[in-house]
Amino acid sequence: MSIVVINALKVPAEAGPELEKRFAARKNSVDSSPGFEGFKLLRPVAGEDRYFVFTQWATRGDFENWRDQRSEAAHAGSDKKPVAQGADLMEFEIVEL
């Protein structure tokens, strides 16, 4: 059963363009990861001030493997300060109707 993982990023309004620029720079970096099914970056418009990073995975294990590998190399060699001021991770199973 596929799962969706959403990372809700608290980003100051003035930092939104920088966040989008950073995601665009590594747009396809996750595409070849085993079990990866899709990615969207959702910009807040009304009723919300957080960005949502939406990823879809074939299994929870596929997500966990990617997460664990990524955490070792995250921002390696980067001198850029984080744009987000906090994040909440949410996970959902996709209900096949």
Side-chain angles (χ1 to χ4, degrees):
M1 174 179 295
S2 291
I3 68 160
V4 169
V5 179
I6 299 173
N7 195 357
L9 303 175
K10 298 171 187 153
V11 179
E14 67 277 3
E18 177 64 20
L19 178 82
E20 292 177 26
K21 179 178 150 187
R22 291 183 188 185
F23 270 95
R26 41 178 228 234
K27 181 177 179 182
N28 300 107
S29 64
V30 70
D31 290 0
S32 62
S33 298
F36 175 74
E37 297 180 346
F39 165 87
K40 301 284 184 213
L41 178 62
L42 306 177
R43 178 189 302 131
V45 178
E48 184 61 64
D49 60 356
R50 297 176 293 173
Y51 274 79
F52 287 84
V53 181
F54 173 105
T55 56
Q56 185 172 331
W57 299 88
T59 68
R60 188 172 202 288
D62 290 328
F63 164 70
E64 290 172 347
N65 289 335
W66 170 82
R67 179 200 61 207
D68 294 345
Q69 290 173 355
R70 184 185 174 281
S71 66
E72 296 171 7
H75 308 292
S78 176
D79 58 352
K80 294 181 182 176
K81 291 175 53 179
V83 175
Q85 296 178 336
D88 297 309
L89 194 64
M90 300 173 276
E91 296 183 36
F92 302 87
E93 289 182 342
I94 296 177
V95 178
E96 300 295 336
L97 302 175

